[in-house]
């Protein structure tokens, strides 16, 4: 699977730089009792770091049961905006679950693998 993605990135000289962003947990504002929730405030620094000039692609690892539709939309819009701004393709890898809001921002990707 990764070889197929790397073949699409042959326009680059040298090794392709692919950033991986892990999006795991329920979508909600604030922190959960177990640790962290997915929300734009928690995810935005990693997205800003991943999308930049010179990056061949961004891979999103999603494992989320969903949750807040507001946070789902904010994260999806942020991913789409950064992808368009830097012209970086997004490849999405769904793990155990990518339901509801998790699937919502997975749909922003150029390709989805599960």
């Amino acid at each position: 699977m990764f070889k197929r993605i790397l073949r699409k990135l042959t326009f680059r000289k040298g090794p392709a730089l692919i950033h991986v962003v892990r999006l795991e947990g329920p979508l909600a504002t604030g922190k959960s009792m177990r640790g962290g929730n997915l929300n734009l405030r928690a995810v935005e620094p990693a997205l800003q770091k991943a999308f930049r000039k010179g990056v061949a692609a961004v891979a999103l690892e999603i494992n989320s049961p969903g949750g807040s539709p507001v946070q789902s939309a904010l994260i999806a819009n942020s991913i789409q905006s950064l992808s368009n701004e830097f012209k970086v393709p997004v490849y999405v890898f769904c793990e155990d679950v990518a339901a509801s809001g998790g699937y919502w921002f997975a749909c922003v990707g150029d390709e989805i693998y599960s």
Side-chain angles (χ1 to χ4, degrees):
M1 173 177 8
F2 286 110
K3 287 183 182 182
R4 193 172 98 197
I5 292 171
L6 289 175
R7 270 189 259 129
K8 292 180 181 184
L9 305 173
T10 56
F11 61 90
R12 305 184 54 78
K13 292 183 179 179
L17 179 60
I18 301 173
H19 281 248
V20 177
V21 178
R22 183 157 183 78
L23 303 172
E24 183 173 28
L27 288 146
T29 58
K31 291 187 176 182
S32 70
M33 291 177 67
R34 290 186 184 173
N37 288 321
L38 278 178
N39 54 58
L40 186 61
R41 180 183 291 184
V43 170
E44 195 165 37
L47 292 175
Q48 293 284 340
K49 187 175 178 182
F51 287 93
R52 62 178 188 225
K53 290 187 188 263
V55 173
V58 170
L60 300 178
E61 292 180 342
I62 298 174
N63 191 1
S64 174
S68 167
V70 172
Q71 292 304 316
S72 302
L74 291 172
I75 292 170
N77 290 342
S78 180
I79 294 167
Q80 184 69 60
S81 175
L82 289 165
S83 176
N84 290 341
E85 179 182 345
F86 292 101
K87 296 179 181 28
V88 173
V90 177
Y91 299 103
V92 179
F93 299 87
C94 299
E95 292 183 341
D96 295 329
V97 64
S100 185
Y103 187 69
W104 186 341
F105 52 78
C107 290
V108 176
D110 295 285
E111 293 184 25
I112 300 174
Y113 300 90
S114 60

